[in-house]
């Protein structure tokens, strides 16, 4: 039987099998021997011990598409980063740092601005202009007016999505709107956890429907640029991609060098100055970090 790990606590793994429910499983000793730790999001094969009690063993972990360290999760199709369009105001450095982290991990990102009932059409356009040339899909939602909710559902459908954003942006309200049965799903797991006396709060994958899952991460208020070489940062800004390899100097940092294709594209308006300034700031952060 094949399923997906939706939660892992104290050596127990809760495996959701579409159409059959959640099984409480232990991982076989071979994983410890091979120093492999099952992750939330892993696709696994399980053998059922007791169908009535919904218990079993994790027999094998299927090959991973990807794995993130923070949060520790595997097989993510995409990241949906949610910020409030207003109240609180957007922390662009935080947003850009998250996007860079996902690019570095090879996870595609979608940007969602919630609470759009608080802003005008002109303000919306400013958000769109900020991400010009990046290729990121930018969606606008409001849980009050229902704006953008169909698009919100569409981008999640059939995917395993890590949903992230700072506290107070309406993340939980958005998830509750599209997943009215989530309480039942999480309740099913909570009942097993209570029975097993594993009460620690852990992140989990929420099953929405079919093969649609959401990994709801705790709200973040600060993020560091990932540990990387400064030369790798250019690959984490998708708007630079068509310029790379076209600068006069090999190994151009796109900061102060002459005849730089990235700076030429900026002057031509291919992408926003604000994003370029973020690149320079992060480049200096990585550069100074490597000195110590």
């Amino acid at each position: 039987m094949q399923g997906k790990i939706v939660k892992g606590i104290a050596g127990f793994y809760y495996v959701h099998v579409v159409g059959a429910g959640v099984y409480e499983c232990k991982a076989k000793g071979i994983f410890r021997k091979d120093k492999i730790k099952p992750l939330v999001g892993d696709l696994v094969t399980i053998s059922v011990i007791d169908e009535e009690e919904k218990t079993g063993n994790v027999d094998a972990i299927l090959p991973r598409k990807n794995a993130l360290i923070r949060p520790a999760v595997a097989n993510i199709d995409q990241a949906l980063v949610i910020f409030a369009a207003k109240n609180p105001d957007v922390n662009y450095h935080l947003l850009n740092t998250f996007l860079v982290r996902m690019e570095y991990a090879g996870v595609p990102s979608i940007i969602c601005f919630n609470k759009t009932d608080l802003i005008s059409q002109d303000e919306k356009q400013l958000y769109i202009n900020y991400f010009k040339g990046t290729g990121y899909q930018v969606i606008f939602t409001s849980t009050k007016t229902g704006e953008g909710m169909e698009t919100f559902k569409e981008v999640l459908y059939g995917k395993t999505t890590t949903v992230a954003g700072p506290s107070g942006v309406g993340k939980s309200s958005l998830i509750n709107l599209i997943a009215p049965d989530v309480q039942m799903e999480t309740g099913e797991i909570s009942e097993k956890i209570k029975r097993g006396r594993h009460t620690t709060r852990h992140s989990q994958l929420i099953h929405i429907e079919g093969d649609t899952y959401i990994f709801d991460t705790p709200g973040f208020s600060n993020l560091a640029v990932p540990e990387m070489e400064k030369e790798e940062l250019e690959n984490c800004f998708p708007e630079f991609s068509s310029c790379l390899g076209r600068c006069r100097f090999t190994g151009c940092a796109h900061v102060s060098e002459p005849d730089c294709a990235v700076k030429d594209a900026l002057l031509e308006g291919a992408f926003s100055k604000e994003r370029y300034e973020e690149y320079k700031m992060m480049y200096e952060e990585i550069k100074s970090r490597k000195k110590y």
Side-chain angles (χ1 to χ4, degrees), residues 21-58:
V22 178
Y23 292 81
E24 182 181 80
C25 299
K26 291 283 280 182
K28 287 197 166 175
I30 189 163
F31 297 124
R32 278 194 302 279
K33 181 171 156 278
D34 294 343
K35 294 183 178 167
I36 298 168
K37 186 177 167 61
L39 293 175
V40 172
D42 269 332
L43 290 168
V44 295
T45 56
I46 66 168
S47 50
V48 177
I49 295 169
D50 188 321
E51 184 57 57
E52 199 175 316
E53 286 289 307
K54 286 278 195 282
T55 57
N57 283 323
V58 175

Side-chain angles (χ1 to χ4, degrees), residues 100-136:
V100 163
R101 289 176 79 91
M102 291 303 106
E103 288 289 337
Y104 190 63
V107 177
S109 295
I110 296 164
I111 302 159
C112 172
F113 290 110
N114 191 32
K115 303 187 185 180
T116 47
D117 49 291
L118 302 177
I119 61 167
S120 66
Q121 198 60 42
D122 287 347
E123 286 172 300
K124 262 192 207 175
Q125 193 57 48
L126 292 174
Y127 289 126
I128 292 166
N129 294 347
Y130 186 97
F131 292 102
K132 179 186 177 182
T134 61
Y136 290 124

Side-chain angles (χ1 to χ4, degrees), residues 56-207:
N57 283 323
V58 175
D59 296 328
I61 300 170
L62 302 182
R64 288 170 181 158
K65 183 196 306 188
N66 54 36
L68 302 179
I69 298 167
R70 288 190 193 133
V73 63
N75 300 316
I76 290 294
D77 293 314
Q78 61 187 10
L80 177 69
V81 56
I82 302 173
F83 276 71
K86 206 170 196 171
N87 190 24
D89 289 340
V90 176
N91 178 333
Y92 279 107
H93 185 63
L94 196 59
L95 174 47
N96 284 307
T97 303
F98 181 85
L99 293 172
V100 163
R101 289 176 79 91
M102 291 303 106
E103 288 289 337
Y104 190 63
V107 177
S109 295
I110 296 164
I111 302 159
C112 172
F113 290 110
N114 191 32
K115 303 187 185 180
T116 47
D117 49 291
L118 302 177
I119 61 167
S120 66
Q121 198 60 42
D122 287 347
E123 286 172 300
K124 262 192 207 175
Q125 193 57 48
L126 292 174
Y127 289 126
I128 292 166
N129 294 347
Y130 186 97
F131 292 102
K132 179 186 177 182
T134 61
Y136 290 124
Q137 183 178 359
V138 179
I139 64 174
F140 296 95
T141 57
S142 168
T143 53
K144 281 196 175 166
T145 65
E147 181 193 349
M149 290 312 299
E150 280 309 309
T151 305
F152 187 79
K153 287 178 193 170
E154 279 167 21
V155 298
L156 297 174
Y157 186 75
K159 302 273 177 71
T160 296
T161 307
T162 182
V163 179
S167 302
V169 298
K171 198 157 55 94
S172 300
S173 304
L174 281 167
I175 292 170
N176 290 342
L177 267 180
I178 62 153
D181 299 330
V182 160
Q183 286 309 311
M184 189 180 72
E185 285 286 346
T186 54
E188 189 181 358
I189 297 166
S190 300
E191 201 52 47
K192 289 179 183 296
I193 291 164
K194 198 161 59 183
R195 196 170 58 208
R197 294 190 180 85
H198 310 307
T199 53
T200 316
R201 189 180 174 277
H202 286 252
S203 298
Q204 72 180 57
L205 269 182
I206 298 166
H207 177 240

Side-chain angles (χ1 to χ4, degrees), residues 211-269:
D211 52 1
T212 303
Y213 293 84
I214 286 178
F215 186 76
D216 185 15
T217 58
F220 57 75
S221 55
N222 55 62
L223 283 174
V225 178
E227 290 289 333
M228 64 166 82
E229 298 299 325
K230 61 185 187 299
E231 292 79 13
E232 294 177 287
L233 183 63
E234 62 180 22
N235 298 312
C236 297
F237 280 75
E239 59 267 53
F240 293 179
S241 61
S242 63
C243 308
L244 301 182
R246 291 175 43 217
C247 301
R248 178 177 162 191
F249 295 104
T250 306
C252 180
H254 322 301
V255 177
S256 54
E257 299 87 340
D259 301 325
C260 166
V262 169
K263 288 194 290 182
D264 288 347
L266 173 66
L267 289 173
E268 289 163 12

